[in-house]
Amino acid sequence: LPQRPRVVLCIDGSEPAYIQEAMRAGVAPFFQQMHQEWTTTLARCAMPSFTNPNNLSIITGVPPDVHGICGNFFYDVDTQQEVMMNSPELLRAPTILQALASAGCRVGVVTAKDKLRGLLGHGLPMGPCVCFSAEAADRATVEDHGLSEVLSLTGMALPNVYSAELSAFVLRAGLPYFRRQHPDVLYLSTSDY
């Protein structure tokens, strides 16, 4: 179990070389500070390189063929329809976040898109734990997300789902939540916009 608070930041759709070049150019002071003062680790991308399989590989510690989320969609041959792979019923492995919460840790999850929220928050007891998305921050409730009035955390308006502000919202919401609620683990997942 974490002895000190831990933050996991998944920067969706990025490439480490982009961040390294920005640090060299002096235009990414936060990342520079993070690399100098904190423990940082790069993770290899799970294939296929889609948002849902990779986030689930991070929080389960196993590849897509084990956790069951192998893409963003699958084709259901019985109904002859595409089905979004955003339902916790499709998940075949427990999450590390679930295990931490079961062991008494306070877990916070902030994700950019609501399609991922149900998977990331699967099995978390809302109240002691929090899980919400930037996309649907205006609809967060204590009962379903562990807190309400998320927009007031950031001082930002609800961002457009297809904008850079969506990821900025994740970070702007995560920091005040972290400072006020002191979770043991905070998982932040940005958009690939």
Side-chain angles (χ1 to χ4, degrees):
L1 297 177
Q3 300 301 306
R4 296 180 312 172
R6 302 287 185 219
V7 176
V8 176
L9 174 59
C10 175
I11 304 172
D12 194 11
S14 189
E15 160 66 39
Y18 301 156
I19 295 168
Q20 291 164 352
E21 185 57 36
M23 289 188 305
R24 274 193 285 278
V27 295
F30 172 75
F31 286 109
Q32 188 67 42
Q33 179 185 6
M34 186 172 64
H35 280 274
Q36 290 172 349
E37 298 177 13
W38 304 342
T39 301
T40 58
T41 303
L42 294 177
R44 289 189 179 186
C45 176
M47 295 306 282
S49 65
F50 296 126
T51 298
N52 291 5
N54 276 281
N55 274 271
L56 271 294
S57 290
I58 292 169
I59 68 161
T60 61
V62 297
D65 64 323
V66 176
H67 64 62
I69 306 300
C70 58
N72 288 342
F73 292 89
F74 73 92
Y75 184 75
D76 184 329
V77 294
D78 293 332
T79 65
Q80 297 187 11
Q81 294 182 7
E82 287 185 1
V83 178
M84 279 191 79
M85 296 193 83
N86 60 357
S87 173
E89 289 79 30
L90 299 172
L91 193 55
R92 297 189 311 220
T95 73
I96 296 166
L97 302 177
Q98 261 180 308
L100 288 166
S102 293
C105 291
R106 292 172 46 106
V107 175
V109 177
V110 184
T111 183
K113 294 187 179 175
D114 206 53
K115 69 177 185 177
L116 191 55
R117 182 189 53 80
L119 291 166
L120 296 177
H122 179 62
L124 296 180
M126 292 300 121
C129 296
V130 167
C131 184
F132 64 92
S133 71
E135 178 181 4
D138 60 332
R139 298 188 303 266
T141 64
V142 173
E143 181 179 307
D144 293 332
H145 305 89
L147 79 167
S148 60
E149 301 186 30
V150 173
L151 295 177
S152 67
L153 283 175
T154 66
M156 294 175 68
L158 186 69
N160 183 298
V161 70
Y162 300 109
S163 70
E165 286 76 26
L166 194 70
S167 291
F169 191 98
V170 169
L171 302 174
R172 294 267 311 262
L175 183 60
Y177 165 72
F178 187 81
R179 287 181 173 156
R180 293 178 192 169
Q181 301 298 321
H182 310 288
D184 298 297
V185 175
L186 177 60
Y187 184 85
L188 304 171
S189 180
T190 66
S191 168
D192 59 359
Y193 182 85

mmCIF file of all heavy atoms in Angstrom, residues 64-96:
data_model
loop_
_atom_site.group_PDB
_atom_site.id
_atom_site.type_symbol
_atom_site.label_atom_id
_atom_site.label_comp_id
_atom_site.label_asym_id
_atom_site.label_seq_id
_atom_site.Cartn_x
_atom_site.Cartn_y
_atom_site.Cartn_z
ATOM 1 N N PRO A 64 -4.372 -6.460 -22.848
ATOM 2 C CA PRO A 64 -5.768 -6.529 -23.280
ATOM 3 C C PRO A 64 -6.322 -7.940 -23.425
ATOM 4 O O PRO A 64 -7.502 -8.165 -23.135
ATOM 5 C CB PRO A 64 -5.760 -5.808 -24.635
ATOM 6 C CG PRO A 64 -4.631 -4.841 -24.525
ATOM 7 C CD PRO A 64 -3.584 -5.557 -23.717
ATOM 8 N N ASP A 65 -5.509 -8.908 -23.850
ATOM 9 C CA ASP A 65 -6.050 -10.259 -24.010
ATOM 10 C C ASP A 65 -6.430 -10.887 -22.669
ATOM 11 O O ASP A 65 -7.202 -11.828 -22.618
ATOM 12 C CB ASP A 65 -5.095 -11.166 -24.790
ATOM 13 C CG ASP A 65 -3.779 -11.413 -24.078
ATOM 14 O OD1 ASP A 65 -3.254 -10.490 -23.438
ATOM 15 O OD2 ASP A 65 -3.272 -12.545 -24.172
ATOM 16 N N VAL A 66 -5.923 -10.320 -21.576
ATOM 17 C CA VAL A 66 -6.277 -10.810 -20.242
ATOM 18 C C VAL A 66 -7.411 -9.976 -19.645
ATOM 19 O O VAL A 66 -8.388 -10.529 -19.145
ATOM 20 C CB VAL A 66 -5.041 -10.806 -19.301
ATOM 21 C CG1 VAL A 66 -5.439 -11.228 -17.888
ATOM 22 C CG2 VAL A 66 -3.940 -11.706 -19.853
ATOM 23 N N HIS A 67 -7.320 -8.634 -19.696
ATOM 24 C CA HIS A 67 -8.381 -7.819 -19.069
ATOM 25 C C HIS A 67 -9.634 -7.705 -19.917
ATOM 26 O O HIS A 67 -10.692 -7.342 -19.412
ATOM 27 C CB HIS A 67 -7.865 -6.453 -18.615
ATOM 28 C CG HIS A 67 -7.380 -5.531 -19.687
ATOM 29 N ND1 HIS A 67 -8.154 -5.049 -20.706
ATOM 30 C CD2 HIS A 67 -6.153 -4.973 -19.855
ATOM 31 C CE1 HIS A 67 -7.460 -4.233 -21.457
ATOM 32 N NE2 HIS A 67 -6.224 -4.181 -20.973
ATOM 33 N N GLY A 68 -9.558 -8.031 -21.208
ATOM 34 C CA GLY A 68 -10.762 -8.130 -22.024
ATOM 35 C C GLY A 68 -11.133 -6.896 -22.823
ATOM 36 O O GLY A 68 -12.010 -6.967 -23.687
ATOM 37 N N ILE A 69 -10.510 -5.770 -22.567
ATOM 38 C CA ILE A 69 -10.835 -4.559 -23.320
ATOM 39 C C ILE A 69 -9.783 -4.424 -24.424
ATOM 40 O O ILE A 69 -8.721 -3.836 -24.226
ATOM 41 C CB ILE A 69 -10.870 -3.310 -22.408
ATOM 42 C CG1 ILE A 69 -11.812 -3.544 -21.223
ATOM 43 C CG2 ILE A 69 -11.273 -2.075 -23.204
ATOM 44 C CD1 ILE A 69 -13.261 -3.842 -21.578
ATOM 45 N N CYS A 70 -10.089 -5.009 -25.577
ATOM 46 C CA CYS A 70 -9.085 -5.126 -26.646
ATOM 47 C C CYS A 70 -9.211 -4.041 -27.704
ATOM 48 O O CYS A 70 -8.443 -4.012 -28.667
ATOM 49 C CB CYS A 70 -9.165 -6.501 -27.287
ATOM 50 S SG CYS A 70 -10.788 -6.852 -27.977
ATOM 51 N N GLY A 71 -10.162 -3.153 -27.561
ATOM 52 C CA GLY A 71 -10.349 -2.054 -28.501
ATOM 53 C C GLY A 71 -11.358 -1.085 -27.938
ATOM 54 O O GLY A 71 -11.797 -1.223 -26.796
ATOM 55 N N ASN A 72 -11.713 -0.092 -28.717
ATOM 56 C CA ASN A 72 -12.762 0.822 -28.279
ATOM 57 C C ASN A 72 -14.147 0.295 -28.674
ATOM 58 O O ASN A 72 -15.139 0.666 -28.080
ATOM 59 C CB ASN A 72 -12.534 2.215 -28.850
ATOM 60 C CG ASN A 72 -11.356 2.912 -28.195
ATOM 61 O OD1 ASN A 72 -10.903 2.523 -27.116
ATOM 62 N ND2 ASN A 72 -10.832 3.933 -28.843
ATOM 63 N N PHE A 73 -14.185 -0.593 -29.688
ATOM 64 C CA PHE A 73 -15.426 -1.203 -30.157
ATOM 65 C C PHE A 73 -15.183 -2.672 -30.464
ATOM 66 O O PHE A 73 -14.056 -3.086 -30.689
ATOM 67 C CB PHE A 73 -15.900 -0.544 -31.472
ATOM 68 C CG PHE A 73 -16.340 0.867 -31.326
ATOM 69 C CD1 PHE A 73 -15.435 1.914 -31.462
ATOM 70 C CD2 PHE A 73 -17.666 1.170 -31.082
ATOM 71 C CE1 PHE A 73 -15.833 3.225 -31.348
ATOM 72 C CE2 PHE A 73 -18.079 2.487 -30.975
ATOM 73 C CZ PHE A 73 -17.167 3.518 -31.106
ATOM 74 N N PHE A 74 -16.258 -3.457 -30.492
ATOM 75 C CA PHE A 74 -16.189 -4.799 -31.057
ATOM 76 C C PHE A 74 -17.474 -5.030 -31.850
ATOM 77 O O PHE A 74 -18.470 -4.346 -31.652
ATOM 78 C CB PHE A 74 -15.974 -5.890 -29.992
ATOM 79 C CG PHE A 74 -17.173 -6.189 -29.129
ATOM 80 C CD1 PHE A 74 -18.079 -7.183 -29.482
ATOM 81 C CD2 PHE A 74 -17.368 -5.487 -27.949
ATOM 82 C CE1 PHE A 74 -19.175 -7.465 -28.679
ATOM 83 C CE2 PHE A 74 -18.468 -5.763 -27.143
ATOM 84 C CZ PHE A 74 -19.376 -6.748 -27.508
ATOM 85 N N TYR A 75 -17.408 -5.989 -32.734
ATOM 86 C CA TYR A 75 -18.579 -6.321 -33.552
ATOM 87 C C TYR A 75 -19.287 -7.518 -32.937
ATOM 88 O O TYR A 75 -18.705 -8.589 -32.783
ATOM 89 C CB TYR A 75 -18.152 -6.634 -34.989
ATOM 90 C CG TYR A 75 -19.322 -6.879 -35.899
ATOM 91 C CD1 TYR A 75 -20.110 -5.820 -36.340
ATOM 92 C CD2 TYR A 75 -19.643 -8.163 -36.317
ATOM 93 C CE1 TYR A 75 -21.191 -6.039 -37.175
ATOM 94 C CE2 TYR A 75 -20.728 -8.396 -37.154
ATOM 95 C CZ TYR A 75 -21.505 -7.327 -37.568
ATOM 96 O OH TYR A 75 -22.580 -7.538 -38.395
ATOM 97 N N ASP A 76 -20.530 -7.318 -32.556
ATOM 98 C CA ASP A 76 -21.341 -8.389 -31.983
ATOM 99 C C ASP A 76 -22.015 -9.133 -33.132
ATOM 100 O O ASP A 76 -22.907 -8.588 -33.800
ATOM 101 C CB ASP A 76 -22.380 -7.790 -31.037
ATOM 102 C CG ASP A 76 -23.199 -8.845 -30.311
ATOM 103 O OD1 ASP A 76 -23.433 -9.934 -30.878
ATOM 104 O OD2 ASP A 76 -23.611 -8.581 -29.173
ATOM 105 N N VAL A 77 -21.569 -10.363 -33.369
ATOM 106 C CA VAL A 77 -22.103 -11.126 -34.498
ATOM 107 C C VAL A 77 -23.573 -11.508 -34.308
ATOM 108 O O VAL A 77 -24.300 -11.677 -35.283
ATOM 109 C CB VAL A 77 -21.249 -12.388 -34.789
ATOM 110 C CG1 VAL A 77 -19.870 -12.000 -35.263
ATOM 111 C CG2 VAL A 77 -21.189 -13.297 -33.595
ATOM 112 N N ASP A 78 -24.011 -11.626 -33.056
ATOM 113 C CA ASP A 78 -25.409 -11.986 -32.799
ATOM 114 C C ASP A 78 -26.357 -10.844 -33.166
ATOM 115 O O ASP A 78 -27.392 -11.063 -33.785
ATOM 116 C CB ASP A 78 -25.612 -12.385 -31.335
ATOM 117 C CG ASP A 78 -24.889 -13.671 -30.992
ATOM 118 O OD1 ASP A 78 -24.700 -14.519 -31.902
ATOM 119 O OD2 ASP A 78 -24.505 -13.828 -29.813
ATOM 120 N N THR A 79 -25.997 -9.621 -32.767
ATOM 121 C CA THR A 79 -26.859 -8.468 -33.054
ATOM 122 C C THR A 79 -26.471 -7.767 -34.348
ATOM 123 O O THR A 79 -27.198 -6.898 -34.810
ATOM 124 C CB THR A 79 -26.799 -7.450 -31.905
ATOM 125 O OG1 THR A 79 -25.472 -6.913 -31.829
ATOM 126 C CG2 THR A 79 -27.214 -8.075 -30.585
ATOM 127 N N GLN A 80 -25.306 -8.126 -34.890
ATOM 128 C CA GLN A 80 -24.750 -7.507 -36.095
ATOM 129 C C GLN A 80 -24.603 -6.000 -35.925
ATOM 130 O O GLN A 80 -24.915 -5.219 -36.829
ATOM 131 C CB GLN A 80 -25.587 -7.854 -37.322
ATOM 132 C CG GLN A 80 -25.584 -9.337 -37.624
ATOM 133 C CD GLN A 80 -26.272 -9.676 -38.926
ATOM 134 O OE1 GLN A 80 -26.599 -8.816 -39.721
ATOM 135 N NE2 GLN A 80 -26.483 -10.958 -39.149
ATOM 136 N N GLN A 81 -24.084 -5.604 -34.730
ATOM 137 C CA GLN A 81 -23.872 -4.193 -34.443
ATOM 138 C C GLN A 81 -22.513 -3.995 -33.778
ATOM 139 O O GLN A 81 -22.012 -4.896 -33.101
ATOM 140 C CB GLN A 81 -24.958 -3.668 -33.508
ATOM 141 C CG GLN A 81 -26.326 -3.655 -34.129
ATOM 142 C CD GLN A 81 -27.359 -3.070 -33.178
ATOM 143 O OE1 GLN A 81 -27.040 -2.572 -32.112
ATOM 144 N NE2 GLN A 81 -28.612 -3.132 -33.581
ATOM 145 N N GLU A 82 -21.954 -2.803 -33.980
ATOM 146 C CA GLU A 82 -20.753 -2.425 -33.244
ATOM 147 C C GLU A 82 -21.157 -2.081 -31.815
ATOM 148 O O GLU A 82 -22.192 -1.455 -31.593
ATOM 149 C CB GLU A 82 -20.092 -1.190 -33.866
ATOM 150 C CG GLU A 82 -19.388 -1.467 -35.162
ATOM 151 C CD GLU A 82 -18.654 -0.246 -35.689
ATOM 152 O OE1 GLU A 82 -18.668 0.818 -35.046
ATOM 153 O OE2 GLU A 82 -18.056 -0.352 -36.760
ATOM 154 N N VAL A 83 -20.343 -2.498 -30.860
ATOM 155 C CA VAL A 83 -20.616 -2.241 -29.452
ATOM 156 C C VAL A 83 -19.403 -1.532 -28.856
ATOM 157 O O VAL A 83 -18.267 -1.997 -29.019
ATOM 158 C CB VAL A 83 -20.868 -3.568 -28.691
ATOM 159 C CG1 VAL A 83 -21.097 -3.306 -27.215
ATOM 160 C CG2 VAL A 83 -22.049 -4.312 -29.307
ATOM 161 N N MET A 84 -19.647 -0.406 -28.194
ATOM 162 C CA MET A 84 -18.546 0.287 -27.521
ATOM 163 C C MET A 84 -18.043 -0.570 -26.363
ATOM 164 O O MET A 84 -18.838 -1.120 -25.608
ATOM 165 C CB MET A 84 -18.986 1.648 -26.975
ATOM 166 C CG MET A 84 -19.006 2.739 -28.009
ATOM 167 S SD MET A 84 -19.231 4.367 -27.261
ATOM 168 C CE MET A 84 -17.587 4.693 -26.670
ATOM 169 N N MET A 85 -16.734 -0.646 -26.216
ATOM 170 C CA MET A 85 -16.143 -1.424 -25.118
ATOM 171 C C MET A 85 -15.909 -0.500 -23.919
ATOM 172 O O MET A 85 -14.789 -0.248 -23.504
ATOM 173 C CB MET A 85 -14.833 -2.069 -25.567
ATOM 174 C CG MET A 85 -15.047 -3.094 -26.672
ATOM 175 S SD MET A 85 -13.631 -4.121 -26.963
ATOM 176 C CE MET A 85 -13.864 -5.343 -25.677
ATOM 177 N N ASN A 86 -17.007 0.003 -23.370
ATOM 178 C CA ASN A 86 -16.918 0.887 -22.217
ATOM 179 C C ASN A 86 -17.741 0.391 -21.033
ATOM 180 O O ASN A 86 -17.916 1.102 -20.056
ATOM 181 C CB ASN A 86 -17.333 2.310 -22.597
ATOM 182 C CG ASN A 86 -18.747 2.395 -23.118
ATOM 183 O OD1 ASN A 86 -19.447 1.392 -23.258
ATOM 184 N ND2 ASN A 86 -19.177 3.603 -23.414
ATOM 185 N N SER A 87 -18.209 -0.829 -21.111
ATOM 186 C CA SER A 87 -19.024 -1.392 -20.044
ATOM 187 C C SER A 87 -18.170 -2.240 -19.102
ATOM 188 O O SER A 87 -17.425 -3.115 -19.548
ATOM 189 C CB SER A 87 -20.125 -2.259 -20.652
ATOM 190 O OG SER A 87 -20.810 -2.941 -19.633
ATOM 191 N N PRO A 88 -18.269 -2.016 -17.804
ATOM 192 C CA PRO A 88 -17.510 -2.828 -16.847
ATOM 193 C C PRO A 88 -17.799 -4.325 -16.955
ATOM 194 O O PRO A 88 -16.954 -5.132 -16.575
ATOM 195 C CB PRO A 88 -17.954 -2.290 -15.487
ATOM 196 C CG PRO A 88 -18.418 -0.907 -15.754
ATOM 197 C CD PRO A 88 -19.014 -0.941 -17.139
ATOM 198 N N GLU A 89 -18.958 -4.704 -17.501
ATOM 199 C CA GLU A 89 -19.276 -6.120 -17.661
ATOM 200 C C GLU A 89 -18.309 -6.810 -18.629
ATOM 201 O O GLU A 89 -18.165 -8.029 -18.601
ATOM 202 C CB GLU A 89 -20.722 -6.306 -18.147
ATOM 203 C CG GLU A 89 -21.767 -5.991 -17.099
ATOM 204 C CD GLU A 89 -22.000 -4.486 -16.935
ATOM 205 O OE1 GLU A 89 -21.833 -3.721 -17.909
ATOM 206 O OE2 GLU A 89 -22.346 -4.074 -15.816
ATOM 207 N N LEU A 90 -17.652 -6.051 -19.484
ATOM 208 C CA LEU A 90 -16.696 -6.611 -20.437
ATOM 209 C C LEU A 90 -15.313 -6.819 -19.822
ATOM 210 O O LEU A 90 -14.479 -7.514 -20.393
ATOM 211 C CB LEU A 90 -16.574 -5.702 -21.663
ATOM 212 C CG LEU A 90 -17.861 -5.490 -22.458
ATOM 213 C CD1 LEU A 90 -17.656 -4.416 -23.523
ATOM 214 C CD2 LEU A 90 -18.329 -6.790 -23.075
ATOM 215 N N LEU A 91 -15.087 -6.245 -18.672
ATOM 216 C CA LEU A 91 -13.787 -6.331 -17.996
ATOM 217 C C LEU A 91 -13.621 -7.712 -17.370
ATOM 218 O O LEU A 91 -14.472 -8.179 -16.626
ATOM 219 C CB LEU A 91 -13.713 -5.237 -16.926
ATOM 220 C CG LEU A 91 -12.386 -4.923 -16.300
ATOM 221 C CD1 LEU A 91 -11.340 -4.571 -17.332
ATOM 222 C CD2 LEU A 91 -12.549 -3.773 -15.314
ATOM 223 N N ARG A 92 -12.492 -8.377 -17.679
ATOM 224 C CA ARG A 92 -12.257 -9.737 -17.195
ATOM 225 C C ARG A 92 -11.184 -9.816 -16.120
ATOM 226 O O ARG A 92 -10.766 -10.920 -15.753
ATOM 227 C CB ARG A 92 -11.849 -10.635 -18.365
ATOM 228 C CG ARG A 92 -12.923 -10.779 -19.414
ATOM 229 C CD ARG A 92 -12.602 -11.817 -20.454
ATOM 230 N NE ARG A 92 -11.276 -11.672 -21.012
ATOM 231 C CZ ARG A 92 -10.955 -11.837 -22.282
ATOM 232 N NH1 ARG A 92 -11.880 -12.171 -23.142
ATOM 233 N NH2 ARG A 92 -9.715 -11.697 -22.695
ATOM 234 N N ALA A 93 -10.727 -8.677 -15.626
ATOM 235 C CA ALA A 93 -9.672 -8.675 -14.606
ATOM 236 C C ALA A 93 -9.984 -7.586 -13.578
ATOM 237 O O ALA A 93 -10.537 -6.546 -13.928
ATOM 238 C CB ALA A 93 -8.311 -8.417 -15.245
ATOM 239 N N PRO A 94 -9.648 -7.830 -12.322
ATOM 240 C CA PRO A 94 -9.830 -6.778 -11.319
ATOM 241 C C PRO A 94 -8.817 -5.661 -11.563
ATOM 242 O O PRO A 94 -7.783 -5.865 -12.206
ATOM 243 C CB PRO A 94 -9.547 -7.497 -9.999
ATOM 244 C CG PRO A 94 -8.661 -8.632 -10.377
ATOM 245 C CD PRO A 94 -9.049 -9.042 -11.761
ATOM 246 N N THR A 95 -9.125 -4.485 -11.061
ATOM 247 C CA THR A 95 -8.200 -3.369 -11.235
ATOM 248 C C THR A 95 -7.362 -3.163 -9.977
ATOM 249 O O THR A 95 -7.767 -3.527 -8.864
ATOM 250 C CB THR A 95 -8.927 -2.059 -11.577
ATOM 251 O OG1 THR A 95 -9.594 -1.562 -10.414
ATOM 252 C CG2 THR A 95 -9.923 -2.249 -12.719
ATOM 253 N N ILE A 96 -6.217 -2.578 -10.183
ATOM 254 C CA ILE A 96 -5.345 -2.210 -9.061
ATOM 255 C C ILE A 96 -6.053 -1.166 -8.192
ATOM 256 O O ILE A 96 -5.943 -1.197 -6.962
ATOM 257 C CB ILE A 96 -3.992 -1.689 -9.590
ATOM 258 C CG1 ILE A 96 -3.249 -2.812 -10.326
ATOM 259 C CG2 ILE A 96 -3.145 -1.105 -8.464
ATOM 260 C CD1 ILE A 96 -2.078 -2.350 -11.172
#
